[in-house]
Amino acid sequence: MKVGLLTSGGDCQALNAAMRGVVKALYENTKDVEIIGFEDGYKGLIYNNYHLVDLSEFSGILTQGGTILGTSRQPFKKMNTPDENGLDKVEAMKNTYRSLGLDCLVILGGNGTHKTANLLSNEGLNIVTLPKTIDNDIWGTDISFGFQSAVDIATGVIDCIHTTAASHGRVFIVEIMGHKVGHLALHAGIAGGADIILIPEIPYDLDKVIGAIEKRDKAGKRFTILAVAEGAISKEYAALPKKEYKQKTKTSKYPSVAYEIADKIEEKTGKEIRIAVPGHTQRGGAPCPYDRVISTRFGAAAAELIIKEKYGNMVALVNGEIKSVPLSEVAGKLKTVDAEASVIKEAKAIGISFGD
Ligand code: F6P
């Protein structure tokens, strides 16, 4: 059996652990497995950059962050556009797959990756995917590996900010990754004891945010911590047509939302705001134990799908059970935070403000 393997899109913790799971389970349960590792995601498949991966390469990588195969972002919307040399990328990927005589291609990726995976599946390639992303926004699975590790890191940052904010009696904004969804900011915000959490799914009113800070001041609290998702959006901006909003963010004088929010709070209250942006540290380092377990389980489940030739599926966790979900159902959808979810109500019940 000849299986191709690639990691695509932004990296995260437990990509190696997941690949190790797939490969170990294949070697344990089948004969004559050959693994072809494509370098830097779909780029390797398009441009024929691959190598035969020895089983030993998958040993000792359970705790190793990043991806031993490398990754890159290859936007789905550009997949049908020829490259600068006129190469048809989809045809090139099909040719690589066929010329290598692959039985299946295993793809580890997030939302964009799944759109291309579905495209390749529709083009007749045998595809099995695994959900990875710190954003936890892949439709069809309760959890993606990488998420819990990122929650740990972002929570650690808020914990550290807590002590310095308390010493100085300051207002701090911690900007947490997540341009489109706020799962990470929500979970790290609650875990880190943030006082205000701003996420894209719940547009905020700046006066309400300021009100929440002032409420803490009046209660004699010396500091306030805001956990703000990269994609946090004001009610005013959320009301704009998408194009106009995009233009506004493109031409914004601020490096990111945290700076804009800080500036506006400073302008209205005279308070000095400090900002902490952990950025890509949230995707780095060793996976947490939860991610090591879930990625290993996903890996073993993916190997089972391959052995049973159940192609065109993503492995998923649904209500605590490992399942498979058709790629056609996953592709093009986003799992956002439900503003009415009980976790939001519980957070509000203990006094966390969402600025709404
Ligand atoms: O999708 C994962 C993610 O880390 C997002 O949370 C973040 O907005 C984005 O990727 C950053 O992308 P890049 O690595 O391309 O800077």
Side-chain angles (χ1 to χ4, degrees), residues 9-11 73 132-135 137 176-181 184 230 279-280 282-283:
D11 75 339
R73 290 196 187 274
K132 70 88 220 179
T133 169
I134 64 163
D135 295 333
D137 58 354
I176 294 172
M177 273 191 163
H179 269 298
K180 292 184 180 155
V181 301
L184 184 53
E230 287 172 317
H280 290 78
Q282 292 162 97
R283 296 211 314 237

Tab-separated table of all heavy atoms in Angstrom, residues 9-11 73 132-135 137 176-181 184 230 279-280 282-283, ligand 1:
chain	number	residue	atom	x	y	z
A	9	GLY	N	-1.441	24.427	5.452
A	9	GLY	CA	-1.976	25.583	6.177
A	9	GLY	C	-1.080	25.958	7.349
A	9	GLY	O	0.054	25.481	7.462
A	10	GLY	N	-1.608	26.790	8.233
A	10	GLY	CA	-0.827	27.200	9.410
A	10	GLY	C	-0.535	25.989	10.278
A	10	GLY	O	-1.385	25.115	10.424
A	11	ASP	N	0.661	25.930	10.834
A	11	ASP	CA	0.983	24.750	11.649
A	11	ASP	C	0.281	24.834	13.007
A	11	ASP	O	-0.402	25.813	13.313
A	11	ASP	CB	2.499	24.599	11.825
A	11	ASP	CG	3.080	25.591	12.810
A	11	ASP	OD1	2.431	26.636	13.065
A	11	ASP	OD2	4.168	25.349	13.344
A	73	ARG	N	0.839	27.824	3.167
A	73	ARG	CA	-0.552	28.194	2.855
A	73	ARG	C	-0.703	28.275	1.336
A	73	ARG	O	0.000	29.043	0.682
A	73	ARG	CB	-0.892	29.542	3.478
A	73	ARG	CG	-0.982	29.498	5.004
A	73	ARG	CD	-1.686	30.747	5.504
A	73	ARG	NE	-1.653	30.842	6.959
A	73	ARG	CZ	-2.539	30.259	7.767
A	73	ARG	NH1	-3.509	29.529	7.257
A	73	ARG	NH2	-2.450	30.413	9.072
A	132	LYS	N	-6.877	19.768	12.010
A	132	LYS	CA	-5.904	20.473	12.860
A	132	LYS	C	-6.171	21.968	12.817
A	132	LYS	O	-6.490	22.507	11.757
A	132	LYS	CB	-4.471	20.186	12.423
A	132	LYS	CG	-4.009	20.798	11.092
A	132	LYS	CD	-3.441	22.173	11.175
A	132	LYS	CE	-3.917	23.011	9.990
A	132	LYS	NZ	-3.475	24.364	9.942
A	133	THR	N	-6.103	22.620	13.911
A	133	THR	CA	-6.055	24.079	13.962
A	133	THR	C	-6.213	24.553	15.405
A	133	THR	O	-7.011	23.986	16.159
A	133	THR	CB	-7.143	24.788	13.121
A	133	THR	OG1	-7.154	26.188	13.453
A	133	THR	CG2	-8.540	24.262	13.357
A	134	ILE	N	-5.462	25.583	15.740
A	134	ILE	CA	-5.624	26.170	17.076
A	134	ILE	C	-6.953	26.913	17.167
A	134	ILE	O	-7.403	27.224	18.251
A	134	ILE	CB	-4.460	27.125	17.433
A	134	ILE	CG1	-4.428	28.342	16.498
A	134	ILE	CG2	-3.134	26.389	17.437
A	134	ILE	CD1	-3.580	29.488	17.037
A	135	ASP	N	-7.576	27.210	16.017
A	135	ASP	CA	-8.816	27.990	16.030
A	135	ASP	C	-10.039	27.148	16.420
A	135	ASP	O	-11.070	27.700	16.799
A	135	ASP	CB	-9.078	28.609	14.647
A	135	ASP	CG	-8.016	29.627	14.267
A	135	ASP	OD1	-7.422	30.215	15.175
A	135	ASP	OD2	-7.784	29.810	13.061
A	137	ASP	N	-12.130	25.691	14.551
A	137	ASP	CA	-13.287	26.163	13.790
A	137	ASP	C	-13.672	25.231	12.636
A	137	ASP	O	-14.400	25.625	11.730
A	137	ASP	CB	-13.015	27.581	13.249
A	137	ASP	CG	-11.778	27.640	12.361
A	137	ASP	OD1	-11.066	26.619	12.241
A	137	ASP	OD2	-11.522	28.709	11.778
A	176	ILE	N	-5.478	37.552	21.337
A	176	ILE	CA	-5.387	36.106	21.152
A	176	ILE	C	-5.744	35.741	19.711
A	176	ILE	O	-6.633	36.352	19.104
A	176	ILE	CB	-6.314	35.414	22.183
A	176	ILE	CG1	-5.738	35.695	23.585
A	176	ILE	CG2	-6.452	33.922	21.924
A	176	ILE	CD1	-6.588	35.278	24.723
A	177	MET	N	-5.057	34.744	19.163
A	177	MET	CA	-5.270	34.400	17.749
A	177	MET	C	-6.727	33.990	17.468
A	177	MET	O	-7.407	33.455	18.340
A	177	MET	CB	-4.331	33.289	17.315
A	177	MET	CG	-2.989	33.835	16.838
A	177	MET	SD	-1.994	32.569	16.037
A	177	MET	CE	-0.801	33.607	15.187
A	178	GLY	N	-7.120	34.208	16.248
A	178	GLY	CA	-8.489	33.892	15.824
A	178	GLY	C	-9.069	35.082	15.086
A	178	GLY	O	-9.664	35.962	15.707
A	179	HIS	N	-8.848	35.110	13.754
A	179	HIS	CA	-9.361	36.221	12.953
A	179	HIS	C	-10.851	36.084	12.684
A	179	HIS	O	-11.581	37.062	12.678
A	179	HIS	CB	-8.631	36.290	11.602
A	179	HIS	CG	-7.433	37.176	11.636
A	179	HIS	ND1	-7.523	38.510	11.911
A	179	HIS	CD2	-6.123	36.914	11.461
A	179	HIS	CE1	-6.323	39.046	11.887
A	179	HIS	NE2	-5.443	38.093	11.624
A	180	LYS	N	-11.257	34.813	12.483
A	180	LYS	CA	-12.660	34.617	12.094
A	180	LYS	C	-13.527	34.111	13.236
A	180	LYS	O	-14.731	34.318	13.242
A	180	LYS	CB	-12.734	33.627	10.917
A	180	LYS	CG	-12.149	34.205	9.652
A	180	LYS	CD	-12.314	33.255	8.508
A	180	LYS	CE	-11.714	33.849	7.244
A	180	LYS	NZ	-11.315	32.827	6.306
A	181	VAL	N	-12.912	33.361	14.156
A	181	VAL	CA	-13.702	32.772	15.252
A	181	VAL	C	-13.030	33.047	16.597
A	181	VAL	O	-11.826	33.282	16.670
A	181	VAL	CB	-13.870	31.240	15.082
A	181	VAL	CG1	-14.548	30.879	13.785
A	181	VAL	CG2	-12.547	30.539	15.215
A	184	LEU	N	-10.724	30.255	20.775
A	184	LEU	CA	-9.482	30.314	21.553
A	184	LEU	C	-9.525	31.453	22.580
A	184	LEU	O	-9.187	31.256	23.761
A	184	LEU	CB	-8.289	30.469	20.592
A	184	LEU	CG	-6.892	30.463	21.179
A	184	LEU	CD1	-6.635	29.243	22.048
A	184	LEU	CD2	-5.844	30.508	20.052
A	230	GLU	N	-8.176	38.266	17.657
A	230	GLU	CA	-7.651	39.077	16.531
A	230	GLU	C	-8.773	39.664	15.673
A	230	GLU	O	-8.641	40.733	15.102
A	230	GLU	CB	-6.813	38.199	15.597
A	230	GLU	CG	-5.469	37.791	16.112
A	230	GLU	CD	-4.825	36.776	15.170
A	230	GLU	OE1	-5.521	35.844	14.705
A	230	GLU	OE2	-3.632	36.917	14.901
A	279	GLY	N	0.870	36.165	19.778
A	279	GLY	CA	1.030	35.781	18.365
A	279	GLY	C	1.279	34.304	18.139
A	279	GLY	O	0.604	33.448	18.709
A	280	HIS	N	2.317	34.028	17.334
A	280	HIS	CA	2.551	32.639	16.913
A	280	HIS	C	3.093	31.735	18.011
A	280	HIS	O	3.196	30.533	17.796
A	280	HIS	CB	3.483	32.620	15.696
A	280	HIS	CG	2.801	33.160	14.462
A	280	HIS	ND1	2.629	34.498	14.264
A	280	HIS	CD2	2.229	32.535	13.406
A	280	HIS	CE1	1.985	34.688	13.123
A	280	HIS	NE2	1.728	33.519	12.583
A	282	GLN	N	1.439	30.931	20.266
A	282	GLN	CA	0.249	30.103	20.552
A	282	GLN	C	0.208	28.831	19.702
A	282	GLN	O	-0.525	27.902	19.984
A	282	GLN	CB	-1.028	30.930	20.334
A	282	GLN	CG	-1.178	32.042	21.352
A	282	GLN	CD	-2.171	33.109	20.917
A	282	GLN	OE1	-3.332	33.071	21.312
A	282	GLN	NE2	-1.734	34.049	20.096
A	283	ARG	N	0.974	28.835	18.614
A	283	ARG	CA	0.996	27.644	17.745
A	283	ARG	C	2.249	26.808	17.968
A	283	ARG	O	2.444	25.788	17.293
A	283	ARG	CB	0.957	28.072	16.272
A	283	ARG	CG	-0.309	28.779	15.884
A	283	ARG	CD	-0.698	28.545	14.441
A	283	ARG	NE	0.343	28.661	13.466
A	283	ARG	CZ	0.320	29.482	12.414
A	283	ARG	NH1	-0.701	30.310	12.258
A	283	ARG	NH2	1.279	29.475	11.527
B	1	F6P	O1	-5.580	29.561	11.541
B	1	F6P	C1	-4.614	29.551	12.518
B	1	F6P	C2	-4.075	30.923	12.761
B	1	F6P	O2	-3.062	30.847	13.742
B	1	F6P	C3	-5.084	31.980	13.162
B	1	F6P	O3	-5.486	31.926	14.498
B	1	F6P	C4	-4.356	33.246	12.812
B	1	F6P	O4	-5.248	34.307	12.635
B	1	F6P	C5	-3.639	32.863	11.552
B	1	F6P	O5	-3.498	31.443	11.589
B	1	F6P	C6	-2.280	33.472	11.377
B	1	F6P	O6	-1.800	33.094	10.131
B	1	F6P	P1	-0.275	33.136	9.644
B	1	F6P	O7	0.443	31.999	10.293
B	1	F6P	O8	-0.349	32.979	8.196
B	1	F6P	O9	0.284	34.438	10.115
